[in-house]
Amino acid sequence: MALKQAYRLSDEADRLIDEYIAAHSDPEPDYLRRVTRETALHVINPRMMSGHIQGRILCMFVSMLRPQRVLEIGTFSGYSALSMAEALPDGAELHTIEIDDEMEDFIRAQFASVPHGSRITLHIGDALEVIPRLGGQFDLVFIDADKRLYDSYFDLVLPLLPPGGIILADNTLWDGKVLLDNPPSGDHQTLAIKAFNDRVAADPRVSRVILPLRDGLTIIRKL
C-alpha cells in the first residue's frame, strides 16, 4: 500500500512540474493548439504527438542552430514539423517523412493552414528508401519513427551531417523501460531503444546527452 501511495504522489508531482514548466515557457501558438485539437479528434493514438513543450524545444533548437536543411523521420500529424519550420531562416527547408499514407491528407491540411507550412516538403514512404533519394547534407535531423529502426536511421543520416550537425532522437527513455535489465524477448521496441542508446553512448564519432524531457530526448552532435 505504501508503494502504491508513493507512485500516486510521484505521478502528482510530475503533473505539477509539467504544469509549472508549461506556465513558465513560451505559450503554445494558436495554430499548434488547433493541430492538437484536430489530432485528438481525428487521429488514432494522439499521445504520439510532440506537444507544447517539446514543440517549443524543437523551435528553440532551430532558432539557435539556424539550419539550412532539416530532416524529420516520422511526421505523425505534423506538430513537430510545424514547430521547427516556424523558426527556419529565410531560404531554409525542412523535409519530413511519414510511412503511413493514410495520414497524408491530414498532414497536408495542417501544413497548408499556416504560411510557414510552405517551407515543409512531405514525403510519404519508408524513410530507409526515401532518405537516399533526397541528396545533399542536413544540418539537423529529428528521429521520431519506428523505434526498432533507430540504429538504421542513425547509420543512414550520420554521413549526411557536417561536423557539428545535430541529431535529435525522441523517446530514448521509452517510458522507463530502458532500466529493465532483461526486457521480454518479444518487446522489440524496448530492446531496440536500449541497443541504440548503448551504441550511441559508445560511438567515438559523436558527443551526446539525454534530456529527461517527456519520454527522453537525446541530443547527438557529430564531431
Side-chain angles (χ1 to χ4, degrees):
M1 185 66 70
L3 185 59
K4 291 182 179 179
Q5 179 67 18
Y7 275 120
R8 283 197 293 270
L9 289 172
S10 176
D11 288 345
E12 176 66 8
D14 288 345
R15 183 185 67 79
L16 293 173
I17 286 293
D18 287 346
E19 290 178 357
Y20 184 89
I21 291 171
H24 292 80
S25 300
D26 287 346
E28 184 178 40
D30 289 342
Y31 81 91
L32 286 176
R33 201 172 293 122
R34 178 188 52 76
V35 175
T36 299
R37 288 196 303 270
E38 292 293 308
T39 301
L41 286 171
H42 301 295
V43 179
I44 296 172
N45 201 6
R47 184 176 178 270
M48 291 171 58
M49 190 185 68
S50 288
H52 172 202
I53 297 304
Q54 186 165 9
R56 291 303 86 195
I57 287 177
L58 293 172
C59 183
M60 184 75 77
F61 267 113
V62 174
S63 296
M64 293 187 298
L65 296 171
R66 309 296 289 170
Q68 286 301 304
R69 293 189 87 209
V70 177
L71 172 63
E72 176 182 58
I73 305 173
T75 315
F76 191 51
S77 63
Y79 191 105
S80 51
L82 285 167
S83 297
M84 291 186 286
E86 178 186 326
L88 281 176
D90 290 343
E93 60 188 43
L94 188 155
H95 293 263
T96 184
I97 305 169
E98 174 55 45
I99 197 169
D100 185 356
D101 59 1
E102 293 185 0
M103 290 292 295
E104 182 173 3
D105 290 344
F106 182 92
I107 295 167
R108 292 195 185 279
Q110 306 314 311
F111 292 170
S113 69
V114 292
H116 64 262
S118 63
R119 302 173 182 174
I120 306 171
T121 300
L122 173 65
H123 305 268
I124 299 295
D126 184 336
L128 298 179
E129 298 174 359
V130 172
I131 293 171
R133 299 199 298 263
L134 297 179
Q137 287 191 327
F138 290 93
D139 307 299
L140 173 65
V141 178
F142 179 47
I143 301 175
D144 187 16
D146 189 339
K147 312 311 167 193
R148 295 166 296 182
L149 296 176
Y150 268 34
D151 265 353
S152 298
Y153 299 144
F154 181 76
D155 285 338
L156 203 53
V157 302
L158 189 63
L160 303 180
L161 290 171
I166 298 292
I167 298 172
L168 302 174
D170 200 18
N171 304 116
T172 49
L173 294 181
W174 202 231
D175 216 18
K177 294 180 182 178
V178 292
L179 297 178
L180 297 174
D181 290 331
N182 297 295
S185 58
D187 189 353
H188 300 296
Q189 298 195 90
T190 298
L191 291 166
I193 287 291
K194 283 174 64 68
F196 172 76
N197 288 342
D198 290 344
R199 178 186 175 186
V200 170
D203 195 319
R205 299 171 297 172
V206 299
S207 61
R208 81 294 294 166
V209 64
I210 297 179
L211 296 181
L213 167 71
R214 294 186 74 215
D215 203 18
L217 181 69
T218 301
I219 306 169
I220 304 166
R221 181 178 180 272
K222 184 174 179 179
L223 299 177

Coordinates of all heavy atoms in Angstrom, one line a residue, residues 49-85:
M49 N 1.9 12.5 -30.5 CA 2.2 13.9 -31.0 C 3.2 14.6 -30.0 O 3.2 14.3 -28.8 CB 1.0 14.7 -31.0 CG 1.1 16.1 -31.7 SD -0.4 17.0 -31.6 CE -0.5 17.3 -29.8
S50 N 4.1 15.4 -30.5 CA 5.2 16.0 -29.7 C 4.6 16.9 -28.6 O 5.0 16.8 -27.4 CB 6.1 16.9 -30.6 OG 6.9 16.1 -31.4
G51 N 3.6 17.7 -28.9 CA 3.0 18.6 -27.8 C 3.8 19.9 -27.5 O 4.8 20.1 -28.1
H52 N 3.1 20.6 -26.7 CA 3.5 22.0 -26.4 C 5.0 22.2 -26.1 O 5.8 22.9 -26.8 CB 2.7 22.6 -25.3 CG 3.1 23.9 -24.8 ND1 2.7 24.4 -23.5 CD2 3.8 24.9 -25.3 CE1 3.2 25.6 -23.3 NE2 3.9 25.9 -24.4
I53 N 5.5 21.6 -25.0 CA 6.8 21.8 -24.5 C 7.9 21.3 -25.5 O 8.9 22.0 -25.8 CB 7.1 21.3 -23.1 CG1 6.1 22.0 -22.1 CG2 8.5 21.5 -22.6 CD1 6.3 23.5 -22.1
Q54 N 7.7 20.1 -25.9 CA 8.7 19.5 -26.9 C 8.7 20.4 -28.2 O 9.7 20.6 -28.8 CB 8.4 18.1 -27.2 CG 9.5 17.5 -28.1 CD 9.4 16.0 -28.1 OE1 8.5 15.4 -27.6 NE2 10.4 15.4 -28.7
G55 N 7.5 20.8 -28.6 CA 7.4 21.7 -29.8 C 8.2 22.9 -29.6 O 8.9 23.4 -30.5
R56 N 8.1 23.5 -28.4 CA 8.9 24.8 -28.2 C 10.4 24.5 -28.1 O 11.2 25.4 -28.5 CB 8.4 25.4 -26.9 CG 7.0 26.0 -26.9 CD 6.8 27.1 -28.0 NE 6.4 26.5 -29.2 CZ 6.4 27.1 -30.4 NH1 6.9 28.3 -30.5 NH2 6.1 26.5 -31.5
I57 N 10.7 23.4 -27.6 CA 12.2 23.0 -27.6 C 12.7 22.8 -29.0 O 13.8 23.3 -29.3 CB 12.4 21.7 -26.7 CG1 12.2 22.1 -25.2 CG2 13.8 21.1 -27.0 CD1 12.4 20.9 -24.3
L58 N 11.9 22.1 -29.8 CA 12.4 22.0 -31.2 C 12.5 23.3 -31.9 O 13.4 23.6 -32.7 CB 11.4 21.0 -32.0 CG 11.3 19.6 -31.5 CD1 10.2 18.9 -32.2 CD2 12.6 18.9 -31.8
C59 N 11.5 24.2 -31.7 CA 11.6 25.5 -32.3 C 12.8 26.3 -31.8 O 13.5 26.9 -32.6 CB 10.3 26.3 -31.9 SG 10.1 27.9 -32.6
M60 N 13.1 26.1 -30.5 CA 14.3 26.8 -29.9 C 15.6 26.2 -30.5 O 16.5 27.0 -30.9 CB 14.3 26.6 -28.4 CG 15.4 27.3 -27.7 SD 15.1 29.1 -27.6 CE 13.9 29.1 -26.2
F61 N 15.7 24.9 -30.8 CA 16.8 24.4 -31.4 C 17.1 25.0 -32.8 O 18.2 25.3 -33.2 CB 16.7 22.8 -31.5 CG 17.3 22.1 -30.4 CD1 16.5 21.4 -29.5 CD2 18.7 22.1 -30.2 CE1 17.0 20.7 -28.4 CE2 19.2 21.4 -29.1 CZ 18.4 20.7 -28.2
V62 N 16.0 25.1 -33.5 CA 16.1 25.6 -34.9 C 16.5 27.1 -34.8 O 17.3 27.6 -35.6 CB 14.8 25.4 -35.7 CG1 14.9 26.1 -37.0 CG2 14.5 23.9 -35.9
S63 N 15.9 27.8 -33.9 CA 16.3 29.2 -33.7 C 17.8 29.4 -33.4 O 18.4 30.3 -33.9 CB 15.5 29.9 -32.6 OG 14.1 29.9 -32.9
M64 N 18.3 28.5 -32.6 CA 19.7 28.6 -32.2 C 20.7 28.1 -33.3 O 21.7 28.7 -33.5 CB 20.0 27.8 -30.9 CG 19.3 28.4 -29.7 SD 19.7 27.5 -28.1 CE 19.1 25.9 -28.5
L65 N 20.3 27.0 -33.9 CA 21.2 26.4 -34.9 C 21.2 27.0 -36.3 O 22.1 26.9 -37.0 CB 20.9 24.9 -35.0 CG 21.1 24.1 -33.8 CD1 20.5 22.7 -34.0 CD2 22.6 24.0 -33.4
R66 N 20.0 27.7 -36.6 CA 19.8 28.3 -37.9 C 20.2 27.3 -39.1 O 21.0 27.6 -40.0 CB 20.7 29.6 -38.0 CG 20.6 30.5 -36.9 CD 19.2 31.1 -36.8 NE 18.9 32.0 -37.9 CZ 17.7 32.5 -38.1 NH1 16.6 32.1 -37.4 NH2 17.5 33.4 -39.1
P67 N 19.6 26.1 -39.1 CA 19.9 25.2 -40.1 C 19.4 25.6 -41.5 O 18.3 26.2 -41.5 CB 19.3 23.9 -39.6 CG 18.1 24.4 -38.8 CD 18.6 25.6 -38.2
Q68 N 20.1 25.2 -42.5 CA 19.5 25.4 -43.9 C 18.7 24.3 -44.4 O 17.8 24.4 -45.2 CB 20.7 25.7 -44.8 CG 21.3 27.1 -44.7 CD 20.3 28.2 -44.9 OE1 19.6 28.3 -45.9 NE2 20.2 29.1 -43.9
R69 N 19.0 23.1 -43.9 CA 18.2 21.9 -44.2 C 18.0 21.0 -43.0 O 18.9 20.7 -42.3 CB 19.0 21.0 -45.3 CG 19.1 21.7 -46.7 CD 19.6 20.6 -47.7 NE 18.6 19.9 -48.3 CZ 18.7 18.6 -48.7 NH1 19.8 18.0 -48.6 NH2 17.7 18.0 -49.3
V70 N 16.7 20.7 -42.8 CA 16.3 19.9 -41.7 C 15.6 18.7 -42.2 O 14.8 18.7 -43.2 CB 15.3 20.7 -40.8 CG1 14.8 19.8 -39.6 CG2 16.0 21.9 -40.2
L71 N 15.9 17.5 -41.5 CA 15.2 16.3 -41.9 C 14.5 15.7 -40.7 O 15.1 15.7 -39.6 CB 16.2 15.2 -42.4 CG 15.7 13.8 -42.6 CD1 14.7 13.8 -43.7 CD2 16.9 12.9 -42.9
E72 N 13.2 15.4 -40.9 CA 12.4 14.7 -39.8 C 12.0 13.4 -40.3 O 11.5 13.2 -41.4 CB 11.2 15.6 -39.5 CG 10.3 14.9 -38.4 CD 9.0 15.7 -38.1 OE1 8.3 16.0 -39.1 OE2 8.8 16.0 -37.0
I73 N 12.3 12.4 -39.4 CA 11.9 11.0 -39.7 C 10.7 10.7 -38.8 O 10.9 10.4 -37.6 CB 13.0 10.0 -39.5 CG1 14.2 10.4 -40.4 CG2 12.6 8.6 -39.9 CD1 15.5 9.6 -40.1
G74 N 9.5 10.6 -39.4 CA 8.3 10.4 -38.6 C 7.5 11.7 -38.4 O 7.7 12.4 -37.4
T75 N 6.6 12.0 -39.3 CA 5.8 13.2 -39.3 C 4.6 13.2 -38.3 O 4.3 14.2 -37.7 CB 5.2 13.5 -40.7 OG1 6.2 13.3 -41.7 CG2 4.7 14.9 -40.8
F76 N 4.0 12.0 -38.2 CA 2.7 11.8 -37.5 C 1.7 12.8 -37.9 O 1.4 12.9 -39.1 CB 3.0 11.8 -36.0 CG 1.8 11.4 -35.2 CD1 1.1 10.2 -35.5 CD2 1.2 12.1 -34.1 CE1 0.0 9.7 -34.8 CE2 0.1 11.7 -33.4 CZ -0.5 10.5 -33.8
S77 N 1.2 13.7 -37.1 CA 0.2 14.7 -37.5 C 0.7 16.1 -37.9 O 0.0 17.0 -38.2 CB -0.9 14.8 -36.4 OG -0.3 15.4 -35.2
G78 N 2.1 16.2 -37.9 CA 2.7 17.4 -38.4 C 3.1 18.5 -37.3 O 3.6 19.5 -37.7
Y79 N 2.8 18.2 -36.1 CA 3.1 19.2 -35.0 C 4.5 19.5 -34.9 O 4.9 20.7 -34.9 CB 2.6 18.6 -33.7 CG 2.5 19.6 -32.5 CD1 1.3 20.1 -32.1 CD2 3.7 20.0 -31.9 CE1 1.2 21.0 -31.0 CE2 3.6 20.9 -30.8 CZ 2.4 21.4 -30.4 OH 2.4 22.3 -29.4
S80 N 5.4 18.5 -34.9 CA 6.8 18.8 -34.7 C 7.4 19.5 -35.9 O 8.3 20.4 -35.8 CB 7.6 17.5 -34.4 OG 7.3 16.5 -35.3
A81 N 7.0 19.0 -37.1 CA 7.5 19.7 -38.3 C 7.1 21.2 -38.4 O 8.0 22.0 -38.7 CB 6.9 19.0 -39.6
L82 N 5.9 21.5 -38.0 CA 5.5 22.9 -38.0 C 6.2 23.7 -36.9 O 6.5 24.8 -37.1 CB 3.9 22.9 -37.7 CG 3.1 22.6 -38.9 CD1 1.6 22.4 -38.5 CD2 3.2 23.6 -40.0
S83 N 6.5 23.0 -35.8 CA 7.2 23.7 -34.7 C 8.6 24.1 -35.2 O 9.1 25.2 -34.9 CB 7.3 22.8 -33.5 OG 6.0 22.5 -32.9
M84 N 9.3 23.2 -35.9 CA 10.6 23.5 -36.4 C 10.6 24.5 -37.6 O 11.4 25.4 -37.6 CB 11.3 22.2 -36.8 CG 11.7 21.3 -35.7 SD 12.6 19.8 -36.1 CE 11.4 18.8 -36.9
A85 N 9.6 24.3 -38.5 CA 9.5 25.2 -39.6 C 9.2 26.6 -39.2 O 9.6 27.6 -39.9 CB 8.4 24.7 -40.6

